[in-house]
Amino acid sequence: MAEGVDPRRRIFLDLSAELPNHWRDLGRQLNVTDSELDTINANHDGNVKEKCYQMLLKWNQKSATPILDDLAKALCKIDRRDLVELVTPKVFPGKAQSQHSAALEGFPEGVRSQHSASLEESKKKLNQQLKTKYSRLTKQVRPIPFIKDTRSIDKVFTEVGMNYKPVGEDEPWQRINSHHEIPMGTIGQSRINIIEGDAGYGKSMLSLRLVHDWCTRDQVDQCSQLSNIDILIHLNLRQLGGVASIYEAIVKCLLPLDSSIKESDVKQLLQNEDIRTLLLFDAYDEYPDKDKEDNFVSHILQEKLLQHVKVLLTTRSSCIPEGCDGLTGRIKLTGFDGRAREDYVRKVVTKGDEEATQKILTQFNTNATLADICQAPLLFVIYAHSAHKAEINIDFRSVTEFFRCMVKCFHHHIRNKAQTKPTAEEQAQFQKCEDNHDTLDRLAYEALCAENQQLTWDRDTCARKLGKEFYKRHTDIGILVEEEVINSNILSQPDPYKTEVRLFHKLACEWYAAHHFVKRLRSSPSSLPGNLVDLMDPSELQHVYRFACGLDPIATRQVLDLLKQKEDCNSLAVLCALEQKDKAGDVLDMVRDLVSRDVIIDVEDSRLLQRTTIELVQRACQDEIPVACLRLEGCFERFDVTRSCIVLTSDFHLANLKTVRVLHMRPGFTEVEITRDELLGLLQTCEGLTELRVDSELILLPLSIPPEMIPPASKRRNINILYDRGNCLVYRLSFEHGQWEIHDQRADQSLEVEIHQRYSQLQQEWSIQELKMAAEAGVSIVL
């Protein structure tokens, strides 16, 4: 503010914008005469804001001691207590803080001291109301749909695997052992952190656990960064379509209807940089407004709003907000391991019954595919509870078989809970509701194809479309869930809320949508929109495509053709093809098609995807089908000479690679050494190999191999063994001399070599050998 200008004018400007219809009333309370008010009215006809501003200037000029406390009292007298904070602010955010502080200079100490007390009182009141809301939220957890009795989140929550990647593209992923270690934007950490995971990996359950821990932080000794958070705001973004302001969302979603806390109160609290606030946004991938440029979540993530607050946001891995790469910390949920499954069964399902616990866990020890499917916590939880309630002994070989069985269990559980034995007519009605779900299929399909994926429906409209009996049946089971959301379309109705209905999880929506998808593929594939893979993005809705292939073998070929239209869908195509296993008559044609392109096994792939991809490669090699290129991205651990197989970091094995033509390996973040015997064993195992390419100095190859040790078959095929150590040179192993030679040089680049004592002996020897080869070839060197 310019020197000599009364800083209180900023307060007057802010207040003028809020008093279009009460400026005269306020003026009278401030002893501004009616004639003075009339003059102001005449001089500024048509500009109500300016009238109010001029009135406040008049009061400021004529009063002997115009203190802001008098202005606050006058606002209370005209019943505008909601504006008191503008003149005796509880908090002073950003630039406004210095302006308000300057405005108060020279006024009585009592006025200034009231601000601090008012701030604490306002924060205390907000937290009390938040904790009341959160207490209900965290005590009403239902692990699976048909369990009607709710449980507290701390009684059902089980730690999932988590990896953390700090800000910076080159930073490695680090293991997190507990949710207490999740970064909260403290010093040295990113202010914004994204919690990502595939469908059913426990993002919302983790959010609720964090909310519970914050609410109980004074009762339990926790080693958590939540102990440093003054205010925690938890918002389910799925419920906030059309809501323009985060302050509106907080007041309407989290506070009671009769709360005295206004949006302006919340705004001032959140804008205060001295208050440590954490915004916990859940389900960004289901946020109806995520694709709109002008939404408050994007503004916060892009630092256009509340630049100082800490943010945790949960979303599917395929739906990371744009513009966040390299700017945010990332936490990836990796699912349940054996320890987590055992903990959950014992703690939640069997409640310590050891015999029942071992019975359920045995299923996983005898069915590897089931264990991989149930890496997703939601699927494991559904199976564990269902297996405990009824005898389930199915050799699941695909996600489709698994989900079909689980949905059937939901229906049978409700049927078995009936107090009286159902009549034949009731049994028929039950079966009809279970088998005939065409309308729900269509609603789910249209929801996923709609702009921004509208996954909820108006309750009355949905019930009318589905039919009363079907709707009641599926809400009783829990497949359909009713929830109260903000009614952003109201104009003057007194009730700001409405009831919507949704499927209990997005996976369930994909299940029913897949049925309608198959129906359209079978009946009139030409009627499908040409941009279907854009409307239903396979990277975000992979289970629609996988379920479709599992439901109908004829649809499988059409799905694979659709996936060819989209880049980077080869891994999904593998999963889709093998949903049919041996049931598809043209499975070999599908395998041949899939391995004609790069086949990728990535360290970040789920165990199910890794296992399925390995099955695809082994099937191709077994049937003498050439595998064009097998890429191992960060997952190579070693070559087991005794077993003649590649061992991955997931402990899966790759053997019998006789038809693999190109093997391309890139490292993870740890150094791996391939010995001479291992390299020779790899060449013998890959009988049809024409090229082996290793990228990065983190995979160390032997410095040389005696020519007489190289397998004759490898010499006859003249295999290219290429080694790219990440500098300007690419090396090739000469079978004639057993030495490395320069194969290629990147244009206009010098060889940069660093030799450090922390390097392994082999790494140092390689650096020395590179210097020798570069010097002999006349390559420019930078040490």
Side-chain angles (χ1 to χ4, degrees), residues 265-296:
D265 301 329
V266 176
K267 180 177 181 179
Q268 289 189 327
L269 282 170
L270 264 59
Q271 287 182 336
N272 186 289
E273 296 185 16
D274 294 328
I275 296 178
R276 295 163 298 189
T277 300
L278 172 65
L279 303 178
L280 179 48
F281 294 138
D282 189 26
Y284 176 81
D285 53 293
E286 298 183 49
Y287 180 34
D289 295 344
K290 65 178 181 293
D291 294 326
K292 297 179 180 178
E293 293 184 5
D294 190 24
N295 68 74
F296 68 82

Coordinates of all heavy atoms in Angstrom, one line a residue, residues 265-296:
D265 N -15.6 -17.6 7.4 CA -14.8 -18.1 8.5 C -13.8 -19.1 8.1 O -12.6 -19.1 8.4 CB -15.7 -18.7 9.6 CG -16.7 -17.7 10.1 OD1 -16.5 -16.5 10.1 OD2 -17.8 -18.1 10.5
V266 N -14.3 -20.1 7.3 CA -13.5 -21.2 6.8 C -12.4 -20.6 5.9 O -11.2 -21.0 6.0 CB -14.3 -22.2 6.0 CG1 -13.4 -23.3 5.5 CG2 -15.3 -22.9 7.0
K267 N -12.8 -19.7 5.1 CA -11.8 -19.1 4.1 C -10.6 -18.4 4.9 O -9.5 -18.6 4.6 CB -12.5 -18.1 3.3 CG -11.6 -17.4 2.2 CD -12.4 -16.4 1.4 CE -11.5 -15.7 0.3 NZ -12.3 -14.8 -0.5
Q268 N -11.0 -17.7 5.9 CA -9.9 -17.0 6.7 C -9.0 -18.0 7.4 O -7.8 -17.7 7.6 CB -10.5 -15.9 7.6 CG -11.1 -14.8 6.8 CD -11.6 -13.6 7.7 OE1 -12.0 -13.9 8.8 NE2 -11.4 -12.4 7.2
L269 N -9.6 -19.0 7.9 CA -8.8 -20.0 8.7 C -7.8 -20.7 7.7 O -6.7 -20.9 8.0 CB -9.7 -21.0 9.3 CG -10.4 -20.6 10.6 CD1 -11.4 -21.6 11.1 CD2 -9.3 -20.4 11.7
L270 N -8.4 -21.1 6.5 CA -7.5 -21.8 5.6 C -6.4 -21.0 5.0 O -5.4 -21.4 4.6 CB -8.4 -22.5 4.5 CG -8.8 -24.0 4.7 CD1 -9.5 -24.1 6.0 CD2 -9.5 -24.5 3.5
Q271 N -6.7 -19.7 4.9 CA -5.8 -18.8 4.3 C -4.6 -18.3 5.2 O -3.6 -17.8 4.8 CB -6.5 -17.5 3.7 CG -7.3 -17.8 2.5 CD -7.9 -16.5 1.9 OE1 -8.1 -15.6 2.6 NE2 -8.2 -16.5 0.6
N272 N -4.8 -18.6 6.5 CA -3.8 -18.3 7.5 C -2.6 -19.2 7.4 O -2.7 -20.4 7.5 CB -4.4 -18.3 8.9 CG -3.4 -17.8 9.9 OD1 -2.4 -18.4 10.2 ND2 -3.7 -16.6 10.4
E273 N -1.4 -18.6 7.1 CA -0.2 -19.4 6.9 C 0.3 -19.9 8.2 O 1.2 -20.8 8.2 CB 0.8 -18.6 6.2 CG 0.4 -18.2 4.8 CD 1.5 -17.4 4.1 OE1 2.7 -17.5 4.5 OE2 1.3 -16.8 3.0
D274 N -0.1 -19.4 9.4 CA 0.3 -19.9 10.7 C -0.4 -21.1 11.1 O 0.0 -21.8 12.1 CB 0.2 -18.8 11.7 CG 1.1 -17.6 11.4 OD1 2.2 -17.9 10.9 OD2 0.8 -16.5 11.7
I275 N -1.5 -21.4 10.4 CA -2.3 -22.6 10.8 C -1.9 -23.7 9.8 O -2.1 -23.6 8.6 CB -3.8 -22.3 10.7 CG1 -4.2 -21.3 11.7 CG2 -4.7 -23.6 10.9 CD1 -5.7 -20.9 11.7
R276 N -1.5 -24.8 10.4 CA -1.0 -25.9 9.5 C -2.2 -26.8 9.1 O -2.8 -27.5 9.9 CB 0.0 -26.8 10.3 CG 1.3 -26.0 10.6 CD 2.1 -26.7 11.7 NE 1.3 -26.7 13.0 CZ 1.8 -27.1 14.2 NH1 3.1 -27.5 14.2 NH2 1.1 -27.2 15.2
T277 N -2.6 -26.6 7.8 CA -3.8 -27.3 7.3 C -3.4 -28.3 6.3 O -2.5 -28.2 5.5 CB -4.7 -26.2 6.6 OG1 -5.1 -25.2 7.5 CG2 -5.9 -26.9 6.0
L278 N -4.1 -29.5 6.4 CA -4.0 -30.6 5.4 C -5.3 -30.8 4.7 O -6.3 -31.0 5.3 CB -3.5 -31.9 6.1 CG -3.5 -33.1 5.2 CD1 -2.4 -33.0 4.1 CD2 -3.3 -34.4 6.0
L279 N -5.3 -30.7 3.4 CA -6.4 -31.0 2.6 C -6.3 -32.4 2.1 O -5.3 -32.8 1.4 CB -6.6 -30.1 1.4 CG -6.6 -28.6 1.7 CD1 -6.7 -27.7 0.4 CD2 -7.8 -28.3 2.6
L280 N -7.2 -33.3 2.4 CA -7.2 -34.7 2.0 C -8.3 -34.9 1.0 O -9.5 -35.1 1.4 CB -7.3 -35.6 3.2 CG -7.4 -37.1 3.0 CD1 -6.2 -37.6 2.1 CD2 -7.3 -37.8 4.4
F281 N -8.0 -34.9 -0.3 CA -9.0 -35.1 -1.3 C -9.0 -36.6 -1.7 O -8.0 -37.1 -2.2 CB -8.6 -34.3 -2.5 CG -8.7 -32.8 -2.3 CD1 -7.7 -31.9 -2.8 CD2 -9.7 -32.2 -1.6 CE1 -7.8 -30.6 -2.7 CE2 -9.8 -30.9 -1.4 CZ -8.8 -30.0 -1.9
D282 N -10.2 -37.2 -1.6 CA -10.3 -38.6 -1.9 C -11.0 -38.8 -3.3 O -11.9 -38.0 -3.6 CB -11.0 -39.4 -0.8 CG -11.0 -40.9 -1.0 OD1 -10.1 -41.4 -1.6 OD2 -11.9 -41.6 -0.5
A283 N -10.6 -39.8 -4.0 CA -11.3 -40.2 -5.3 C -11.3 -39.1 -6.4 O -12.3 -38.8 -7.0 CB -12.8 -40.6 -5.0
Y284 N -10.1 -38.6 -6.6 CA -10.0 -37.6 -7.7 C -10.4 -38.2 -9.1 O -11.0 -37.6 -9.9 CB -8.6 -37.1 -7.8 CG -8.3 -36.2 -9.0 CD1 -8.7 -34.9 -8.9 CD2 -7.8 -36.7 -10.2 CE1 -8.5 -34.0 -10.0 CE2 -7.6 -35.8 -11.3 CZ -7.9 -34.5 -11.2 OH -7.7 -33.6 -12.2
D285 N -10.2 -39.5 -9.3 CA -10.5 -40.2 -10.5 C -12.0 -40.2 -10.7 O -12.5 -40.4 -11.9 CB -10.0 -41.6 -10.6 CG -10.4 -42.4 -9.4 OD1 -9.9 -42.1 -8.3 OD2 -11.1 -43.4 -9.6
E286 N -12.8 -40.0 -9.7 CA -14.3 -40.0 -9.8 C -14.9 -38.6 -9.6 O -16.1 -38.4 -9.5 CB -14.9 -41.0 -8.8 CG -14.5 -42.4 -9.0 CD -15.2 -43.3 -8.0 OE1 -16.4 -43.2 -7.8 OE2 -14.5 -44.1 -7.3
Y287 N -14.0 -37.6 -9.6 CA -14.4 -36.2 -9.5 C -15.1 -35.7 -10.7 O -14.5 -35.7 -11.8 CB -13.2 -35.3 -9.2 CG -13.4 -33.9 -9.0 CD1 -14.6 -33.4 -8.4 CD2 -12.4 -33.0 -9.4 CE1 -14.7 -32.0 -8.2 CE2 -12.6 -31.6 -9.2 CZ -13.8 -31.1 -8.6 OH -13.9 -29.8 -8.4
P288 N -16.4 -35.4 -10.7 CA -17.1 -35.1 -11.9 C -16.5 -33.9 -12.7 O -16.7 -33.8 -13.9 CB -18.5 -34.7 -11.4 CG -18.7 -35.5 -10.1 CD -17.3 -35.4 -9.5
D289 N -15.9 -33.0 -12.0 CA -15.4 -31.7 -12.6 C -13.9 -31.8 -12.9 O -13.3 -30.7 -13.2 CB -15.6 -30.5 -11.7 CG -17.1 -30.3 -11.5 OD1 -17.9 -30.8 -12.3 OD2 -17.5 -29.5 -10.5
K290 N -13.3 -33.0 -12.9 CA -11.8 -33.0 -13.0 C -11.3 -32.5 -14.4 O -10.2 -32.1 -14.5 CB -11.3 -34.4 -12.7 CG -11.7 -35.5 -13.7 CD -11.1 -36.8 -13.3 CE -11.5 -38.0 -14.3 NZ -12.9 -38.3 -14.2
D291 N -12.2 -32.7 -15.4 CA -11.8 -32.3 -16.8 C -12.1 -30.8 -17.1 O -11.9 -30.4 -18.2 CB -12.4 -33.2 -17.8 CG -11.9 -34.6 -17.7 OD1 -10.7 -34.8 -17.4 OD2 -12.6 -35.6 -18.0
K292 N -12.7 -30.1 -16.1 CA -13.1 -28.7 -16.3 C -11.9 -27.9 -15.9 O -11.3 -28.2 -14.9 CB -14.3 -28.3 -15.5 CG -15.6 -29.1 -16.0 CD -16.8 -28.7 -15.1 CE -18.0 -29.4 -15.6 NZ -19.2 -29.0 -14.7
E293 N -11.5 -26.9 -16.7 CA -10.4 -26.1 -16.3 C -10.6 -25.3 -15.1 O -9.6 -25.1 -14.3 CB -10.1 -25.1 -17.5 CG -9.6 -25.8 -18.8 CD -9.3 -24.8 -19.9 OE1 -9.3 -23.6 -19.6 OE2 -9.0 -25.2 -21.0
D294 N -11.8 -24.8 -14.8 CA -12.0 -23.9 -13.7 C -12.7 -24.7 -12.5 O -13.9 -24.7 -12.3 CB -13.0 -22.8 -14.1 CG -13.1 -21.7 -13.1 OD1 -12.1 -21.6 -12.3 OD2 -14.1 -21.0 -13.1
N295 N -11.9 -25.5 -11.8 CA -12.4 -26.1 -10.6 C -11.4 -25.9 -9.5 O -10.2 -25.7 -9.7 CB -12.6 -27.6 -10.8 CG -11.3 -28.4 -11.0 OD1 -10.6 -28.7 -10.1 ND2 -11.1 -28.8 -12.3
F296 N -11.9 -25.9 -8.2 CA -11.0 -25.4 -7.1 C -9.9 -26.4 -6.8 O -8.8 -26.1 -6.4 CB -11.9 -25.2 -5.9 CG -12.5 -26.4 -5.2 CD1 -11.7 -27.2 -4.4 CD2 -13.8 -26.7 -5.5 CE1 -12.3 -28.4 -3.8 CE2 -14.4 -27.9 -4.9 CZ -13.6 -28.7 -4.1

